[in-house]
Amino acid sequence: MSAEGAPVPVAVITGAAGGIGTRLMRRFGAAGYEVVGLDLGTALPEGEDRYLACDITDQARVEATFATIMSRTGRIDVLVNNAGISAIGAFEDHGVDIHRRVLEVNYLGAVACTQAALPALRATRGRVVTMSSVAGFAPVLGRPAYVGAKHAVTGLFDALRPELAADGVGVTVVHPTFVTHGLREAAARADGTERSTTGAQVTPDDVARAVLRAVRRDRDRVLVGRIARLSWHVRRLAPAGYVRLMTRRLRK
C-alpha cells in the first residue's frame, strides 16, 4: 500500500536486463510502480530481488513465473512485452531455425506473457504494452526474420485492442526507430559487419520515457523518434517512395 492507503501499481517488464528494459525499470520505479523484471537468468544483475529469471519461450516457465508474481504482489497493472531479438542479413543468410527463434521471442513470447498476465490485467483494468518497431509496419531492408516477427506482433495486438477493450484492458503498441545499443542478435552476421541504420537513432531512455507517457495517457500507438513518425506517414502516402528511400539509405 502507498502512504495514502491506495494499492501500489505493479508493472511487469520482460527483457528487463537489456538496454531498453533497464530504463523501463528505472522509469516505472521512479513513477511509483512496483516493478518486476523478467529476463534470462544469465542476464540478470546479482542481488536484485526485483528480477525473476524467466525464458519467455518456455510456456510452463512463463505460467509459473506469473503465478509467483501474483503471490508476491497480488496484482498486475501494466505488462510491458519488451523482450526481443533481431537477425541481420539477407533472407537466404538465415535458415528456418533463425526465423523460428526470432518469432519465438518477439511474437510467441509476447503471446505467452500476455495470456499469463491477462486475468490480473482484467482485475485491475490495466494495460499491456508491446514493443514493436518501424519494422512492424514497414518493410525494412536487411532483417527479414525480424520484420516478419514485428509485423506479426503488431497485427496481433492491434487485433486484440478492441477485443480486450470490453474488459477494460488497454493495448499500446510502440514503434521505435533504430535504437542505440540495440537488440541482441539471434545469429552473428556472416560478413561480421555492423548493422546498418537510416536517420537519427533514439536512445533506450527515449523509448522508456515514451512508454511511460503512453501508459499515463492511455495511448494506443506510440511512434518513437522523428524517423518513426516520418516513416509511418510516408509508408501510407507514398509506399513505393518509402521503399526506394529506405533501400538507398540502408545500402550505403
Side-chain angles (χ1 to χ4, degrees):
M1 290 286 181
S2 67
E4 294 77 19
V8 175
V10 175
V12 179
I13 299 163
T14 72
I20 294 175
T22 299
R23 273 66 173 190
L24 286 166
M25 294 284 286
R26 291 176 183 170
R27 286 278 177 184
F28 275 87
Y33 284 79
E34 180 178 351
V35 289
V36 181
L38 309 184
D39 214 314
L40 297 174
T42 54
L44 296 181
E46 295 183 3
E48 277 271 14
D49 59 5
R50 300 182 306 159
Y51 293 87
L52 293 174
C54 181
D55 179 352
I56 64 169
T57 67
D58 182 337
Q59 183 177 354
R61 182 64 176 170
V62 168
E63 292 172 355
T65 300
F66 276 84
T68 297
I69 293 169
M70 288 302 294
S71 70
R72 289 186 181 183
T73 69
R75 62 187 293 128
I76 299 173
D77 298 84
V78 179
L79 167 66
V80 184
N81 289 311
N82 169 67
I85 58 173
S86 185
I88 297 175
F91 177 66
E92 292 179 316
D93 288 342
H94 300 130
V96 173
D97 58 331
I98 296 300
H99 285 261
R100 181 179 293 114
R101 180 60 180 166
V102 174
L103 193 67
E104 282 176 343
V105 176
N106 291 281
Y107 177 78
L108 294 177
V111 171
C113 290
T114 301
Q115 288 186 337
L118 198 50
L121 292 171
R122 285 192 174 109
T124 59
R125 300 179 71 83
R127 178 164 293 269
V128 54
V129 180
T130 296
M131 199 66 65
S132 183
S133 166
V134 170
F137 63 77
V140 176
L141 186 71
R143 57 210 77 207
Y146 181 70
V147 171
K150 288 303 187 182
H151 268 69
V153 83
T154 297
L156 171 66
F157 283 91
D158 280 349
L160 281 181
R161 189 177 293 112
E163 179 178 332
L164 298 184
D167 296 325
V169 177
V171 174
T172 300
V173 180
V174 184
H175 301 275
T177 187
F178 293 104
V179 181
T180 59
H181 309 293
L183 295 176
R184 182 168 56 90
E185 303 294 326
R189 295 195 68 179
D191 59 7
T193 58
E194 297 296 324
R195 66 177 186 149
S196 56
T197 62
T198 178
Q201 299 182 65
V202 296
T203 68
D205 196 58
D206 291 333
V207 180
R209 184 171 57 250
V211 169
L212 180 59
R213 185 188 309 121
V215 169
R216 286 171 163 169
R217 298 180 180 180
D218 297 327
R219 296 277 302 280
D220 290 342
R221 191 178 312 281
V222 183
L223 304 169
V224 187
R226 183 179 62 84
I227 296 300
R229 294 188 292 271
L230 181 63
S231 298
W232 176 267
H233 295 295
V234 174
R235 170 64 179 155
R236 278 151 181 74
L237 297 175
Y242 170 86
V243 171
R244 286 195 300 271
L245 180 63
M246 179 270 304
T247 301
R248 184 168 66 248
R249 289 189 173 182
L250 286 181
R251 280 183 174 163
K252 286 182 179 179

